[in-house]
Amino acid sequence: MGRKFFGTDGIRGLANTEPMTPATALRVGMAAGAFFTRGDHRHRVLIGKDTRLSGYMLEPALVAGFTAVGMDVFLVGPMPTPAVAMLTRALRCDLGVMISASHNPFHDNGIKLFGPDGYKLSDQAEREIEAMITGDAAPTLAAPEKLGRAKRLDDADGRYIEFAKATLPKGKTLKGLKVVVDCANGAAYKVAPTVLWELEAEVIPIGVHPDGFNINRQCGSTHPDLLQAAVISHGADLGLALDGDADRLVMVDERGAVIDGDQLMAVIAESWLEQGRLPRKGMAATVMSNLGLERFVNNLGIELKRTKVGDRYVLEAMREEGFNLGGEQSGHIILSDFATTGDGLIAGLQVMAALVESGKKASEFCRRFTPFPQLLRNVRHSGGAPLDKPSVQSAIAAAEKALGSSGRIVIRPSGTEPLIRVMAEGEDRKLVEAVVGDIVTALEQAAA
């Protein structure tokens, strides 16, 4: 059965347009609540959100749905996605919900679901819930005396703050670091600066004045210009930029240069290897991570397993292989010793703790490898299967032969738009540009 609602990361869309309407959120609450109502205990769900205006619309609709099937609701307000996953486990809830569209603009929103173990749901679970949302298997409503109740947890911020601090060894602080943290006017606007301050860093917070509209607007991990300027103007040692739901991180060194997820994973991998904290001497990263990262960790004796794009696929590989480190170039970094999903703040803490220990500047310490020249171009098409055309297949084969063992090509259709993404990387920038150009030209002609 094709899926109408669930995508690669929950349900997402334009606010107040299907599927992001109160009516659908109500049905999601009833369906997910019914799916996780098993056994005779009192069932609980925890709901967090980011700072979008539409969160005020979707949250009560979800509450109505959950309480209608007899599930009690804990409301935690604006809270990072990884905090919702953590609190779901800590409070022994049957289900966790995050209302967020991550790094998207304010006018989008989404609903992410976590099981009682804090992990995102399996495809099979999502299919069964979707069947109830669409009416193919309608949920059973609770009797009047068995309706659920809703309660706001006033100490949720403090619980996550203490959890985040505890990911550093006892006695370890960030004393001596001057840090700018950009919270993207999103879910971490209160907790992230507090964690850094309580760990004794000198903190300059920006992106901490959400108004319902300014989440991710020219700030955060997808727009690091603001952070770069702030780090330089304040003479800071480094900067951290989170996205709207704080599961993504990029950093900026004292010179204002961006440090992407690949470099951050390299820092953590080498640091954890030295500390004996990589039990399998392996990690997972997507096909988009730079070849330089792979060569760097391989030289350390660390295996790198490639996955499809998406943090859920990274996590699947980590669980299959027994890895405790994985992530994406975009800054989703999963540290499974601490979290069941990407956590930008906790990843940042690991990097900063190692930086303090080294006594080096961020520009030196956080540059572990020289990235291979990498080029990505998108080709829009009107449908059909241009990748199957012989001319396109011939262009791809020629490109692979030209790059040989000194580079690689990744070609993938977009899961949300009529686009084909063409990426190549290698030691020779001009060759990379040439092979990408040849493939794009072939695709454009095939799609014409």
Side-chain angles (χ1 to χ4, degrees), residues 287-325:
V287 293
M288 300 305 291
S289 276
N290 195 274
L291 190 57
L293 170 64
E294 184 172 353
R295 297 275 178 92
F296 174 78
V297 298
N298 286 169
N299 288 337
L300 294 174
I302 299 171
E303 175 191 358
L304 187 143
K305 181 169 183 177
R306 297 275 187 176
T307 76
K308 293 190 292 185
V309 173
D311 63 331
R312 70 184 298 167
Y313 302 114
V314 172
L315 184 57
E316 284 176 8
M318 291 172 63
R319 297 180 78 179
E320 288 171 3
E321 300 292 336
F323 299 157
N324 59 351
L325 169 61

Side-chain angles (χ1 to χ4, degrees), residues 17 38 49 57 61 63 71 113 115-116 124 186 190 193 244 251 289-290 363 387:
T17 301
R38 304 163 184 172
K49 62 181 180 179
M57 172 185 73
V63 170
M71 189 170 267
L113 303 178
Q124 179 59 33
K190 289 189 289 186
M251 297 180 78
S289 276
N290 195 274
S363 57
L387 277 174

Side-chain angles (χ1 to χ4, degrees), residues 55 95 133 164:
L95 175 65
I133 296 172

